[in-house]
Amino acid sequence: MTGHGEFAEEREWTQCPACRALIYGKRLTRSLQVCPECGAHHRIAAHERIAQLLDDGSIELVEPVVADFDPLDFSDTKPYVERLAAARRKTGLDEAVVLARGTVDGNPVVVAAMDFRFLGGSLGSAVGELITIAAEIALAGRIPLLLVTASGGARMQEGVLSLMQMVKTSQALGRLDEAGVLTISVITDPTYGGVAASFATLTDFVLAEPKARMGFAGPRVIQQTIKQTLPPGFQTAEFLLAHGLIDAIRPREELRATLARLLSLGGGRDIPAQERPAEAADGVIRNPGRLADADAWENVQKARDVGRPTTLDYLSRVFEDFEEMHGDRLGGDCGAIVGGPARLDGRAVMVIGHQKGRTIAELSLRNYGMPTPDGYRKAARLMRTAAKLGLPVITFVDTPGAHPGIEAEEQGQAIAIAENIRLMAALPVPVITLVSGEGGSGGALALAVADEVLICANGCYSVITPEGCAAILWNDPGMAPAAAAALRVDAKQLLRMGVVDGVVPEPDGGNQADHLVAAQRVHKALAGTLRRLSEKDGAALVAERRTRFRSFGAVDVTGSESERHRQR
């Protein structure tokens, strides 16, 4: 039987360390060393991990020479060199990392998989060297890097030189960022100390197995140092996800498929879409004269209808292969913002949007579509990743505004919005925004600094809600209809002013009446716009985007409106 902390081998019977159930060995092997009774993910060796993840026949082990390293001539109850020799005899490994090249569903990847059996996967000089070599191989070949982590922390027998490996590995990941090479980490149980505080958490996407633990200080150190009682589930993957510190939790049986989708983003493998004429109409109305006059207040009510498709609805109908990513990596994950990589007609893109919901429970969970600072910071993180990987950014705007609360102000709501606006203005990739419902104030603008801003026909976009404007300027909330008309929040007026570039028609009864038709029209509009914008390089996109927003409110020497807006 295997005890807790040991690695499962295919014995006739094995006892699960979590639920204590006896499991037939072959059954445990078939379930990828996941207990079929309780779902506990047993630890597995590095070679077994590589075999599970990479395609059969594609695995090429990379075995650089790693020298023995005992800089301190260290000895506790036995000399460090003896501990190394014992670990090698026990595991058959030279060190706590195994390197390989191969493919996952045909997508090339360099893998560095840690093995906890070897001195607890501790981060020593050899481990730092192997992780760095893996990063350098990925850099040389422009191949995505996958890190599978398992570590108890720094290798104390190497003293401060172990600490220096955190810098060595972190700067190796930084070079991959500079080169636009995709990086992914898979957190397995446990991942602590110097590994967690360096390469494990510096990747573009951080996945974790269920209940995998990760942190800087382990629970025992925390309890002994500050005498604090730790909450249930502390530092588990579920805790980390709730606090915005990882992107997603994936059971072992789903991990390979998820990795294949993510790796395809960085391998230059756009999926061929059905051939469409490049000049095909996108269905977008760009002439305000083609739009009927609308009652602005009625338009606001239609934009707010809870039956309208949400961002997640569009993601399921307009895009393929969406992988939702969570968290701002700073301690929060706002449900009012959703996002992650997806495909539009086979083209890899990054999609980010406000999410309201329909039921009272979902609306409350999503904060009625009003993001907090961690929501905007999550969006910013995904946009930076898109810029690094060269992915176009598509945003969906549907919010009454940013969350107006004490905690939001304490956490820097204004700063988060300002940072997003500045970031979007400089993204060197195509950026498209669709105002799918309500576009409220700076909370909407933080996702709407785009090359082209489209709006659904019954959408609205305003500096403030009509009710807020009426309360402030008329001192009478009942004047909201008059305020809506005065603010010119409807699609026709927004198009006339040049605030939006085009209007996506809605079916009879509005998008809420027919989600399928709504999705088809949005798909056509986004795909056509993306085709056009993709013909421009990054520098041209940024220059034109800045010119676009520079023109708002500008006047020429005669004092008339800017030429751009007069032409509209």
Side-chain angles (χ1 to χ4, degrees):
M1 293 188 298
T2 59
H4 186 66
E6 297 176 356
F7 285 76
E9 300 173 0
E10 190 175 311
R11 301 177 183 178
E12 187 172 0
W13 291 94
T14 298
Q15 187 174 52
C16 175
C19 70
R20 314 308 295 174
L22 284 174
I23 310 163
Y24 186 49
K26 290 185 177 179
R27 184 185 182 196
L28 188 60
T29 299
R30 288 195 300 269
S31 65
L32 305 178
Q33 301 298 335
V34 177
C35 176
E37 301 298 328
C38 71
H41 283 54
H42 296 195
R43 294 175 187 164
I44 58 177
H47 283 97
E48 185 177 2
R49 176 76 65 178
I50 290 169
Q52 284 184 7
L53 295 179
L54 298 188
D55 297 334
D56 290 340
S58 76
I59 300 172
E60 176 188 346
L61 293 178
V62 180
E63 299 177 313
V65 176
V66 178
D68 286 337
F69 198 71
D70 184 17
L72 308 182
D73 194 22
F74 193 93
S75 181
D76 41 55
T77 57
K78 66 173 64 173
Y80 176 40
V81 291
E82 291 185 17
R83 291 193 180 279
L84 284 171
R88 287 168 181 159
R89 287 193 301 271
K90 177 183 177 182
T91 64
L93 301 176
D94 291 330
E95 254 297 343
V97 180
V98 175
L99 306 187
R101 297 180 63 159
T103 59
V104 181
D105 196 23
N107 299 286
V109 65
V110 176
V111 181
M114 301 188 72
D115 199 314
F116 194 78
R117 296 175 303 162
F118 196 104
L119 297 182
S122 52
L123 177 58
S125 298
V127 169
E129 181 69 11
L130 288 167
I131 295 294
T132 302
I133 288 172
E136 290 171 346
I137 293 171
L139 179 63
R142 295 298 194 270
I143 302 170
L145 174 66
L146 172 62
L147 304 171
V148 184
T149 64
S151 176
R155 190 167 296 180
M156 292 175 285
Q157 295 92 338
E158 295 186 15
V160 74
L161 291 178
S162 173
L163 195 66
M164 295 302 106
Q165 304 310 307
M166 295 169 65
V167 182
K168 180 176 180 175
T169 55
S170 296
Q171 69 182 21
L173 268 290
R175 292 186 66 196
L176 294 178
D177 287 338
E178 294 165 4
V181 177
L182 174 66
T183 56
I184 305 170
S185 57
V186 176
I187 307 301
T188 73
D189 187 67
T191 297
Y192 279 115
V195 170
S198 58
F199 57 89
T201 51
L202 290 179
T203 54
D204 298 313
F205 302 113
V206 181
L207 310 179
E209 290 190 331
K211 291 185 169 49
R213 294 166 295 167
M214 182 180 75
F216 183 59
R220 186 169 59 182
V221 172
I222 295 172
Q223 290 171 327
Q224 290 177 351
T225 303
I226 63 176
K227 313 301 182 185
Q228 190 171 16
T229 301
L230 304 179
F234 182 68
Q235 293 182 325
T236 62
E238 293 72 16
F239 175 94
L240 299 169
L241 184 66
H243 288 79
L245 301 175
I246 62 174
D247 283 294
I249 298 172
R250 289 292 183 270
R252 199 167 287 167
E253 64 180 5
E254 298 177 12
L255 185 56
R256 205 178 111 85
T258 298
L259 289 174
R261 286 190 288 271
L262 293 177
L263 288 169
S264 70
L265 302 174
R269 296 184 64 208
D270 281 341
I271 299 172
Q274 182 180 356
E275 290 296 327
R276 294 180 178 85
E279 69 277 11
D282 57 15
V284 175
I285 297 172
R286 300 180 184 276
N287 180 354
R290 292 180 53 197
L291 296 170
D293 292 332
D295 181 282
W297 180 241
E298 288 182 6
N299 212 108
V300 171
Q301 304 310 305
K302 292 176 182 177
R304 292 173 175 172
D305 192 308
V306 294
R308 290 177 71 81
T310 66
T311 296
L312 288 177
D313 290 328
Y314 285 120
L315 277 162
S316 68
R317 291 182 180 271
V318 175
F319 301 88
E320 310 90 36
D321 297 334
F322 172 60
E323 288 285 345
E324 184 174 359
M325 298 290 114
H326 292 269
D328 63 356
R329 301 272 180 94
L330 296 173
D333 181 37
C334 174
I337 296 281
V338 296
R343 290 188 181 276
L344 179 64
D345 281 353
R347 173 77 183 270
V349 296
M350 187 70 76
V351 187
I352 305 163
H354 299 100
Q355 179 69 18
K356 285 183 176 178
R358 293 196 182 85
T359 65
I360 294 297
E362 188 180 5
L363 286 164
S364 178
L365 179 68
R366 300 288 183 178
N367 208 29
Y368 293 83
M370 295 184 292
T372 53
D374 46 308
Y376 291 116
R377 290 175 181 134
K378 172 169 64 174
R381 180 175 72 83
L382 294 176
M383 285 186 244
R384 291 189 188 98
T385 300
K388 169 187 168 177
L389 301 176
L391 305 181
V393 173
I394 298 175
T395 65
F396 286 80
V397 168
D398 186 15
T399 179
H403 179 63
I406 295 173
E407 288 187 0
E409 294 300 323
E410 289 175 341
Q411 295 166 9
Q413 184 76 287
I415 297 169
I417 291 171
E419 292 282 1
N420 272 31
I421 292 171
R422 178 172 63 179
L423 171 64
M424 292 191 77
L427 290 175
V429 294
V431 183
I432 305 169
T433 291
L434 175 69
V435 182
S436 58
E438 184 178 14
S441 190
L445 185 61
L447 293 188
V449 182
D451 300 301
E452 290 211 10
V453 179
L454 307 177
I455 189 169
C456 290
N458 291 327
C460 65
Y461 195 3
S462 178
V463 66
I464 190 173
T465 63
E467 296 93 332
C469 178
I472 294 171
L473 298 183
W474 276 272
N475 197 28
D476 180 3
M479 292 295 291
L487 290 168
R488 302 184 183 184
V489 300
D490 60 280
K492 180 175 183 177
Q493 297 301 324
L494 293 166
L495 182 60
R496 185 187 63 78
M497 291 186 289
V499 172
V500 302
D501 299 281
V503 177
V504 181
E506 299 192 20
D508 292 341
N511 285 346
Q512 58 268 39
D514 194 328
H515 286 200
L516 178 59
V517 171
Q520 290 171 342
R521 293 181 179 181
V522 166
H523 176 277
K524 188 175 183 180
L526 294 178
T529 303
L530 181 58
R531 281 195 294 270
R532 285 189 295 99
L533 292 176
S534 295
E535 296 174 358
K536 302 179 181 181
D537 64 28
L541 288 166
V542 171
E544 291 178 16
R545 194 182 311 140
R546 287 174 169 167
T547 298
R548 177 187 198 279
F549 286 92
R550 171 66 178 84
S551 70
F552 289 115
V555 295
D556 61 23
V557 293
T558 65
S560 59
E561 285 186 294
S562 68
E563 181 65 21
R564 179 180 183 277
H565 291 160
R566 282 194 287 112
Q567 289 177 346
R568 292 190 176 271

